[in-house]
Amino acid sequence: SKPYLIYCRKRRIFPLAGIWDQWVDKSTGLELRSFSIITTVSNELTQSIGHHRSPVILPPDSEEMWLDQHTPLSDITALLQPYPARELNAYPIDPSIKHPQAEGIDLLKPIGQRIFPEYDLSIEERIVLQGMGNSETED
């Protein structure tokens, strides 16, 4: 129930496996287009945020194969695997993103720690006293 922003560590943009169809609603006569993201079993990352499934993220350079209608079904189904969890990361975001009226980039800012730590930081402070207790300044 807590929203997370999930992202690839090595790729800024990544393709999701999806299917689409165009059809006519017999009751209204309207032509409709529909689209679905294909999901697979959860990986370590999506499990850690409470999801039992995960969208299929296509491996690098497989987009053309996915879109080619002549690709053998066995090659397509081989792509329907959980994406390696360590190549992804996630952090919690503002729960108000769930509300239809909510807008703004601020909703995507982290409100907690990432699932997998990405940085090992240490803060050091150095003071050098010289003369009458004055600190040396560095330019």
Side-chain angles (χ1 to χ4, degrees):
S1 65
K2 295 179 183 178
Y4 282 80
L5 185 137
I6 299 174
Y7 61 95
C8 278
R9 291 179 179 204
K10 297 178 183 176
R11 301 192 290 168
R12 184 176 169 110
I13 297 174
F14 54 92
L16 300 177
I19 56 173
W20 72 277
D21 194 15
Q22 186 171 324
W23 52 284
V24 176
D25 183 336
K26 292 179 182 176
S27 64
T28 64
L30 292 174
E31 186 174 78
L32 301 170
R33 293 181 182 155
S34 54
F35 178 85
S36 292
I37 299 289
I38 297 175
T39 60
T40 187
V41 296
S42 190
N43 63 21
E44 179 186 341
L45 176 81
T46 50
Q47 285 174 4
S48 70
I49 60 176
H51 289 275
H52 64 280
R53 56 195 175 126
S54 174
V56 173
I57 299 172
L58 295 172
D61 303 323
S62 65
E63 295 95 339
E64 286 184 34
M65 182 173 71
W66 178 263
L67 295 172
D68 184 349
Q69 51 190 314
H70 300 295
T71 302
L73 183 58
S74 60
D75 292 351
I76 293 296
T77 56
L79 297 172
L80 305 179
Q81 302 297 318
Y83 201 74
R86 288 291 174 178
E87 292 186 24
L88 302 171
N89 209 348
Y91 55 79
I93 57 175
D94 191 333
S96 63
I97 198 164
K98 295 178 176 185
H99 303 293
Q101 297 82 12
E103 338 183 309
I105 196 76
D106 289 344
L107 295 169
L108 301 178
K109 289 184 178 177
I111 62 167
Q113 297 298 314
R114 286 172 166 73
I115 300 298
F116 301 127
E118 291 188 10
Y119 307 103
D120 293 322
L121 300 176
S122 64
I123 299 173
E124 294 182 27
E125 186 173 318
R126 187 179 79 137
I127 299 176
V128 177
L129 296 176
Q130 293 183 342
M132 299 291 289
N134 295 326
S135 295
E136 177 182 46
T137 58
E138 296 178 319
D139 296 347

